[in-house]
Every structure is written in C-alpha cells, then in structure tokens.
Amino acid sequence: VQDYKMATGSNYGLALNANYGKIGLTVELLSGSFNTGYQGTIGSTAYTSNVALKTFSIPILVKFGGQTGGYAELGISTNGVKSATYTNSLTTSSSDVSGKYNGYTTAVVGFGTKISLSDNLPLILNIGARLQYGITDAAGVDAVGVDLTNKVAYPTYETSHAASIGLHVGVTYKIK
C-alpha cells in the first residue's frame, strides 16, 4: 500500500518581460529543487520514500495587465530533470534515478499583482500564484524505486502528469 506525501520545492532564476500596453510576453530561465515522496506499508512495516529532483524550467507566458497592478498569465513551460536521487526509510542507500525521468511540458496559469516600489526607482515587486499541469509524461519511479515505464511492473502504464501550485515572488527592473 502506498500514498503520496506532500511535496515541496523552490525555483529561482531570471526573467525577461516585454509589455505592449496591457499585454506582455515573459520568458523565464529557472533552476529548481523539489522533494517528492510516498508513504506506505510493505506487509506490516511502515516506510517513507523520497525523490530529490534538481530541475530546470523555461516558462513562456503571455501576461494580461499593465506594468503595475493586477495581472493574469497563461502559457507553457518546458521542464527537465538534471538529477533525481531516490531514498527510502528501509535502507541507508540511495539510487540515482535521473534516467527514469523525461523532460516534460506543463500548461501554466497564474495571477497576481505588480507593485511599484518607488516613484524614484524603476523597481517593481511581483507577487502571484501559479498552477502548472503536465501535458506530457514526466515518467519517474514509484514508491519502491521501480521505473514507472517498466512494462513488467506496469503492463498497463498510464502517463504521469506533474502538477503543482505555488507562490511566485520577484523583483523587476523596469526599463522605460
């Protein structure tokens, strides 16, 4: 028996924004760290397992809203896994499972606000939320480290769809 544990993660990087009136285009280069996991039992023994992922993402977003004030964003993100390490509570060893993960694409929807930090400084604080949902298969490993695309273990494999919701905070330097 297995169940998912709550996953945590973070991204950081650079973004290029171009606005034309109330419509803008944003391209971001992000590096991230995520911890995904499972909890369950094998027989009567309880266990937890974890996969630590190092990722990179390139979101391309259309933003609706001015240079300050509320906005909505819609786009796609190309995502890759640089490394993935599997561990579980039943053993002290870890496994490199990087090759079990695919690059994948997510649809991105977000909203937030952009706040000018000063009339004298061209800095804008961006605070928002984003929802991402995988539209291509990320693959990976299950709770006991078995490749999800293994046809013996999973003869009727169903594609995985990575999903996340998160807070987005950034500072933009405005070029007039």
Side-chain angles (χ1 to χ4, degrees):
V1 177
Q2 68 185 29
D3 198 4
Y4 292 103
K5 288 189 336 186
M6 186 169 145
T8 59
S10 62
N11 279 318
Y12 60 91
L14 298 171
L16 177 63
N17 306 301
N19 283 27
Y20 183 75
K22 298 278 185 185
I23 296 179
L25 179 67
T26 299
V27 177
E28 299 175 353
L29 302 172
L30 304 173
S31 184
S33 297
F34 296 90
N35 291 300
T36 66
Y38 300 93
Q39 56 193 10
T41 56
I42 298 175
S44 61
T45 305
Y47 74 93
T48 58
S49 61
N50 187 66
V51 179
L53 300 167
K54 300 290 184 193
T55 63
F56 65 89
S57 302
I58 305 172
I60 301 171
L61 309 165
V62 175
K63 288 196 176 186
F64 304 95
Q67 291 203 8
T68 58
Y71 69 88
E73 60 188 5
L74 180 65
I76 62 168
S77 180
T78 299
N79 307 280
V81 175
K82 295 186 283 189
S83 70
T85 304
Y86 171 84
T87 57
N88 74 54
S89 61
L90 301 176
T91 178
T92 58
S93 66
S94 63
S95 303
D96 180 1
V97 293
S98 304
K100 310 295 185 201
Y101 286 83
N102 297 329
Y104 60 98
T105 303
T106 56
V108 181
V109 176
F111 60 91
T113 189
K114 295 181 267 183
I115 304 163
S116 179
L117 295 177
S118 168
D119 291 337
N120 300 324
L121 293 173
L123 297 176
I124 298 171
L125 178 64
N126 182 331
I127 302 171
R130 282 189 182 160
L131 171 66
Q132 296 190 60
Y133 184 77
I135 54 179
T136 62
D137 187 15
V141 296
D142 68 8
V144 292
V146 174
D147 186 340
L148 291 174
T149 63
N150 179 320
K151 300 234 185 270
V152 173
Y154 297 101
T156 57
Y157 173 68
E158 294 184 30
T159 60
S160 61
H161 297 280
S164 67
I165 188 166
L167 298 176
H168 175 80
V169 178
V171 176
T172 301
Y173 183 83
K174 179 180 167 185
I175 300 172
K176 296 184 181 197

